[in-house]
Amino acid sequence: MSDDASRARDPENLRTAFDHASTGMTLVDDAGRYVEVNHVFAAMLGYAPEELIGRHFGDFTQSGDHDSDVAMMGDLISGTRRSVVREKQYRHRDGTLLTALVSSYVVRPDDSVSWRLLSTVESLAGEQSAAQRLLETRAAGDGIVTLDAAGHVVAWNPGAQRVFGHPAADMLGGPPGRLVPAHQERTFTVALRRLLAGDSRLVGRTVEVVARHADGRELLVELSLSAWIHDGDPRFTAIARDITVRRRAEQAAALIRHAAVTANSANSFAEAAAEVVREVCARLRWRAGQAWTAGCGPVVWHVEDHSHEASGGAEPGCGLRRLAAQGSAPTAEQVPADAFTRIARPEELTAMGAIVGECGIGSAVAVPVLAGGEVAGTLGFYLPAGSPPPEHDLVGALEQIGLALGRVVERQRTSEALAWQATHDPVTDLANRRLLLDHIRRSGRAAVRRSALLLINLDRFRLVNEAHGYAIGDQFLRLVGELLRATADPGDLVARLSADEFVVVTTPDAARSAGTPYLMLADRILQALRRPLIIGGHEFRLRASIGIRVITGDDSEQFPAAVLRDADAALRQAKSRGKDQTVVFDDAMAGTAERRMDDEIALAQGILDSQLVLHYQPIIALDTGLPVGAEALVRWDRPGHGMQSPDRFIPLAEESGLIIELGRWVLNQACRDAAAWPSVVPAMAGATVSVNVSARQLTHPRFIADLREALSGSGLAPDRLILEITETALISEPDAAMDTLRAVRACGVQLALDDFGTGYSSLSYVQKLPATILKIDKSFVDPITGPGAGTALSEVVIKLAQAIGMRTVAEGVETPAQAAALRLLGCHRGQGYTWSRPVPQAELQAAAARLVPA
């Protein structure tokens, strides 16, 4: 489309062009009416512009031109012709005829209309001929060549010299044959003969032809051919435009678009490369193409059909197709995998041998496939002999194609990495739980031979993290993973299940030595783990416990979970026997494991269904004998089993993690009960309530929030709540526990150290605690039979507590003699059967009233 036509798309530009044009301009709609004319055109016909607007163009056209105008408009609308330059006669206002040179184009000013016909109109009144004016009109850019009736060049403008490289002196008076490539001579001769003989099929059409430049290179030229009469003789004028660069750019853009679309939809590099290489070879008519990745994946080939030169001693068939069938790729020495495009001449392709001559290869191009800024592969193409090297824009297009395919490599790598991460442990690179369960399923379905799962727990691994940090701990786990891989048999799956638990799934080979192979493997693993490991200058000697579950494939639908559950039951047996042991799961453990799972499920449901109840055991001031507090003790009223004591379900809650929900319920209920004592238990209106807190609760991130909610929700004064903690809870995570205890005291809640003397804490450590109460364990009270008898241990504890300013509470006081002895030793308070058993809230008033003198 011309510059005028392009500008006509914008109404602002169109109006400006009309107002300032030195030639006549018209715009005709699809009904043939003038919708815009400028002053120059109106003046040509003797009218004002507004007198022409809305009138049909046929009203001002010589009747003989009307039909050719309609046909011309049809050609422009259909796209058969892009522009038309012609002579045309208009009827002046006074009835005279005006001859003009008219150039017409189809435009769309905006999306609201289908098309408009934009024309520039120049009067040919005067002595200048139509041919001369036509040449002047087009001299600015396009080549204008005119032939006479004999087929000789009679006009050659400067634009023609720019397009074809020949000066007018070399062309005028002779035939245009030197513009025709050798392979097009016959076709040109036939077409020219027909044209001169009056065949008008080429006239009025725009065609693309191959031409030859003066320097020998081939051009792609767009020709628009017109016929006219000069002094009674026919003339043929061709407007020639060099579209080589444009077509090359369009071709390059099309290849880039195709590569981008292909890369976006392909599932793999091989799939995308196969389609892209085929498209490049087909569009550019290159001999062959190939693509390969630096990771030595499959080599993709495409070979175009081509002729072959006879070659003595050559193998029959196409050499390129033989290479493609072999999946051959050049070596790194032949085509280095670097970030530069390389163009190789025939003499540089000696590694291909006779194939270069057989298949007519003139040169080769190697383009890098870049992924993430790195060379991930290469595209290679083989060009036919005689073809010029790729132009700069085509090389750029090939490099863009390499980048598009690189995105496929990146996506494929990402997908593979995600698939690996989804099935492997990030610390050890071993299989994770997901891959393990899938492997167990497959082992069960294909259990021709009996497989076995070894569940391995590292005894006291937690101490490594606590003593040396997680970085050393992770190195230790990686070394353990490598050790297990080295100890296991080829084909065995090694997985990491949790922080310190590993799994080996082994399928014993019948050809191995007699015995029980999985027990022999377990023994090798235990022996390997007993050897010291050196990490960062530290020597580690850890032990392991192993639970084994034989896989037979005849389990229920819960097969993988059942295997792990049973292996875990065997592992617990191994740990209970002193660790560094191996236990094989048997039928006797099956009931225990199933009962344990049932108990966990039932306890979780019991917490949700409010099956838990609290009993309270009064705490007595030894100097007055009056109740001053009570300890909350949880019971589980399990349907079908009756009231369960804490020792039946608290360990299960601790191990399963249910202790968090259970402890939260106990804390809330105890605060609500104690807040109601002034009305329901008047004898203990101002008494404190003691609640036991586990280690897991103490280090849970929501514990302090739960504590505040329990106090605010119940309205209980903070100083009436005592939290009892054990030395074990403090030792497991001392720093975190200490931070929590300080926060508890900041809330105004009291702290008691429970079971003192049965743990491992030193007196200096106890002194740092923000606790104000020390509870003497029952094991210190039991030896007391009366004042002065068996009181030695209790006396030491009471003296220590007095030294550091803590109140003492003796637990498990069962006789008045024990109570009297403890009072003489200076113990402040006591609790036990001598005063009351734990009772429900409803019975607490009666129990407390019995202790208050009438």
Side-chain angles (χ1 to χ4, degrees), residues 22 54 73 96 251 288 300 406 411 467 513-514 558 578 644 657 671 742:
S22 60
M73 292 172 68
T96 61
Q251 190 175 56
V300 174
R411 192 167 67 242
S513 58
Q558 301 298 321
Q644 306 288 299
C671 288
R742 294 192 188 101

Side-chain angles (χ1 to χ4, degrees), residues 329-563:
T331 64
E333 291 74 21
Q334 294 166 349
V335 181
D338 55 30
F340 300 98
T341 298
R342 296 175 178 270
I343 301 177
R345 296 184 296 275
E347 59 268 24
E348 297 176 286
L349 301 175
T350 54
M352 299 183 70
I355 294 176
V356 174
E358 286 179 30
C359 297
I361 299 173
S363 58
V365 181
V367 180
V369 174
L370 299 178
E374 299 178 353
V375 178
T378 307
L379 291 172
F381 296 99
Y382 299 95
L383 284 61
S387 60
E391 298 287 343
H392 176 74
D393 52 357
L394 184 55
V395 171
L398 294 176
E399 290 173 343
Q400 289 293 318
I401 290 171
L403 289 173
L405 292 178
R407 289 194 290 273
V408 181
V409 175
E410 291 179 0
R411 192 167 67 242
Q412 195 170 335
R413 286 176 177 174
T414 301
S415 177
E416 291 169 355
L418 290 174
W420 176 268
Q421 292 173 12
T423 56
H424 288 78
D425 171 57
V427 176
T428 63
D429 277 343
L430 298 176
N432 64 7
R433 178 184 288 269
R434 178 179 178 181
L435 183 56
L436 171 65
L437 294 176
D438 183 63
H439 187 81
I440 295 172
R441 289 188 190 95
R442 287 185 280 109
S443 298
R445 288 195 296 264
V448 178
R449 299 183 303 272
R450 280 161 48 108
S451 302
L453 182 143
L454 283 66
L455 180 59
I456 305 154
N457 180 265
L458 304 178
D459 297 333
R460 303 182 69 197
F461 168 72
R462 178 174 54 83
L463 296 177
V464 176
N465 283 334
E466 291 179 355
H468 302 284
Y470 287 100
I472 295 293
D474 286 350
Q475 290 186 51
F476 183 87
L477 291 172
R478 281 191 286 272
L479 286 177
V480 171
E482 293 170 7
L483 184 149
L484 291 176
R485 269 194 291 243
T487 307
D489 294 304
D492 290 350
L493 178 75
V494 182
R496 181 181 175 215
L497 193 61
S498 63
D500 56 358
E501 284 190 335
F502 293 81
V503 171
V504 176
V505 180
T506 180
T507 303
D509 192 329
R512 294 193 206 150
S513 58
T516 310
Y518 49 79
L519 285 177
M520 298 168 64
L521 174 60
D523 185 59
R524 293 202 305 270
I525 290 173
L526 290 180
Q527 290 182 26
L529 290 175
R530 288 170 190 148
R531 292 193 292 268
L533 295 177
I534 307 299
I535 304 174
H538 303 286
E539 180 178 298
F540 299 93
R541 293 178 179 271
L542 292 185
R543 299 290 185 264
S545 301
I546 301 178
I548 299 177
R549 166 61 148 82
V550 176
I551 302 173
T552 61
D554 56 358
D555 293 270
S556 65
E557 292 181 0
Q558 301 298 321
F559 175 60
V563 170

